[in-house]
Amino acid sequence: MKTRIPTAGTQAETLAVRSGDSCPETGWWQPLQSEDMSELPTSRFVGQGSPMPAVGSVPGLWVKGRNSLNQSDY
């Protein structure tokens, strides 16, 4: 009889998603830009399958938000 060992983390974790790509997971996303962030939204709620938005007015990278509380900026 074969022994099956459950594998932890069977789904790969997404590190960053480009603007225009489909959102892999519904939730709060934050732009991964280090330049002048004062004019850019700090986070955005994006539904799974929706295109990821531009960061400001240019394409950018988005990472999954670490804290889903107090995320009301658009």
Side-chain angles (χ1 to χ4, degrees), residues 2 9 26 35 40-41 46-47 61 65 67-68:
K2 290 185 178 181
T26 297
E35 297 176 15
L40 301 177
V46 184
L61 293 173
N67 182 1
S68 61

Side-chain angles (χ1 to χ4, degrees), residues 47-70:
Q48 183 176 10
S50 297
M52 296 302 286
V55 179
S57 60
V58 297
L61 293 173
W62 291 85
V63 293
K64 189 79 167 123
R66 289 165 184 70
N67 182 1
S68 61
L69 299 176
N70 299 324

